[in-house]
Amino acid sequence: MAHSTGHAATRTVGTLVVVIAFVVLLTGGQPPARHTTPSTAAIAAKLAIGVAPVLYGAHRHRRPPRPHGPPRWASGWTTPPRSWQPVRPG
């Protein structure tokens, strides 16, 4: 089943909210001083958090999920018995 555009937009906004909350918790709401080890680590973390969903989305776009087969409980019920199959005249 294909996802609707609204679902994708909701997921994107949700991911953005999670990333912003994580960054605010990580930095305490205050930017670290420039050119210090914590500021470099924070920039690297922000970059990784921002790039990871993009790469995952590109991966899923190139390789969508495989279609599902019939449920296991229905495996014996999907084909009729041989006695029900039509006989070719011959």
Side-chain angles (χ1 to χ4, degrees), residues 9-90:
T10 303
R11 180 178 236 159
T12 302
V13 170
T15 302
L16 182 61
V17 168
V18 169
V19 168
I20 290 171
F22 182 74
V23 169
V24 168
L25 288 174
L26 184 68
T27 63
Q30 299 294 324
R34 291 182 176 267
H35 304 296
T36 61
T37 303
S39 79
T40 306
I43 290 171
K46 289 179 196 178
L47 182 64
I49 291 169
V51 169
V54 173
L55 293 176
Y56 179 71
H59 167 74
R60 291 295 297 238
H61 181 71
R62 277 186 272 117
R63 188 176 187 142
R66 296 181 186 155
H68 296 288
R72 292 183 196 181
W73 59 266
S75 64
W77 298 92
T78 56
T79 56
R82 288 185 84 47
S83 61
W84 293 358
Q85 292 178 354
V87 178
R88 286 190 235 162

